[in-house]
Amino acid sequence: MWDFSILFDHWDQYMAGFRQTIWASFLGLIGSLAFGTIIAIMRIAPIRILQALGTVYVEFIRNIPVLMVVFFFFLGLPALGFPIEPFPAGTLGLTFYTAAFIAEAIRAGLQAVPSGQSEAARSSGLNYIQNMRYIVLPQAIKVVLPAIGNQMLNLVKNSSVLGVIAGLDLMYYADLINLSTFKGLPVYTLVAAFYLVLTVPLSLAVQYMERRFARSN
C-alpha cells in the first residue's frame, strides 16, 4: 500500500510536474500582484466608474470557484477565437482569480495610510498617480505583505487545478502515474509532500514577516 518506490520509478514525471507548479505559481504571483494593485487603486479612485468596475470584478471573482475562472480561459477564449494552450490558460486563471484577493488586501493597506499624507502630497503638487506611486503605495505594501504572503500560499495550493486541464503540473502527472500503477494512496501522498516542500517555507516566511512588522509597529 505504501510503496514509495513509485517516487524513484517516476522521478522524472514528479520533477516535471514540480517545476511546472513552481513556474505557474511564480507567474501567477507576479501577474496577480500587478493586476491586483491596479484593481485596488481603481477601487479607491475618485472616479465612480473606476470604483464600480473594480468592485464588480472583485465581488464577482471572489464568489466563484477558481476552477470556473480557469475553465473560462481554457474553454472560453478558444470559443471566442483565441486559442490558448492549457498551461498558459491555467496560469492566467490563477492570476486573475488571485488578483481579486490581493486587490482587497492592498485596498485595506491603502486605506490604512493616514489621509493627511495624501493631502500633503497634493498640496506639494503631486497628482493622483504620483501620490499613489511615491507616497501611499510604498507604505501600504509594507502593511499588507503578510496578507499577500497568505495569498501566495493559496495560489500554490490552487495551482492543482491545472491538472484538470492537462496543465502539466504535479496533479496532472500524479493522475498519469496513478492510472499506470493503480496505487493512488502513495502517488497522491507524494504529491502532498511536494506541495509541503513549497508551502511550509512560505508559511514560515509569512509568520516571520508578521512578527517583524508587529514589532516595528
Side-chain angles (χ1 to χ4, degrees):
M1 180 182 297
W2 295 93
D3 181 13
F4 290 109
S5 64
I6 291 173
L7 175 63
F8 304 102
D9 295 339
H10 300 274
W11 177 257
D12 290 343
Q13 289 174 293
Y14 274 114
M15 290 308 298
F18 189 54
R19 286 192 296 269
Q20 286 291 82
T21 294
I22 293 173
W23 188 227
S25 300
F26 175 76
L27 294 176
L29 175 66
I30 298 301
S32 59
L33 274 174
F35 191 56
T37 300
I38 293 171
I39 296 298
I41 293 173
M42 288 173 59
R43 293 207 65 188
I44 65 169
I47 303 173
R48 288 186 178 274
I49 185 63
L50 293 180
Q51 291 181 16
L53 289 173
T55 300
V56 168
Y57 175 82
V58 168
E59 294 303 321
F60 177 75
I61 294 295
R62 290 202 308 164
N63 287 285
I64 61 174
V66 60
L67 189 58
M68 299 301 297
V69 182
V70 171
F71 272 137
F72 168 77
F73 287 97
F74 181 59
L75 300 175
L77 289 185
L80 295 172
F82 300 98
I84 187 170
E85 295 295 320
F87 180 77
T91 303
L92 283 174
L94 288 173
T95 297
F96 281 88
Y97 182 81
T98 308
F101 295 88
I102 288 181
E104 280 299 274
I106 293 178
R107 181 178 70 91
L110 293 173
Q111 293 177 328
V113 177
S115 59
Q117 297 196 29
S118 294
E119 293 171 1
R122 286 194 296 269
S123 66
S124 64
L126 297 181
N127 60 34
Y128 180 77
I129 298 298
Q130 290 171 328
N131 176 37
M132 282 291 162
R133 178 179 177 183
Y134 297 113
I135 306 298
V136 179
L137 265 178
Q139 299 179 68
I141 292 297
K142 178 182 177 180
V143 173
V144 301
L145 269 178
I148 291 175
N150 286 324
Q151 292 306 321
M152 175 59 176
L153 284 169
N154 291 332
L155 190 153
V156 172
K157 292 181 286 186
N158 287 337
S159 69
S160 61
V161 302
L162 270 68
V164 178
I165 61 170
L168 304 179
D169 69 318
L170 272 170
M171 287 300 296
Y172 171 77
Y173 282 108
D175 290 339
L176 291 182
I177 297 168
N178 182 47
L179 287 173
S180 65
T181 62
F182 297 102
K183 295 180 179 179
L185 185 58
V187 167
Y188 292 107
T189 300
L190 287 168
V191 169
F194 274 104
Y195 276 108
L196 287 172
V197 169
L198 291 176
T199 57
V200 169
L202 283 172
S203 179
L204 294 174
V206 170
Q207 293 175 25
Y208 171 76
M209 286 190 293
E210 290 175 342
R211 291 193 301 268
R212 180 166 183 175
F213 291 146
R215 289 196 299 268
S216 65
N217 290 335

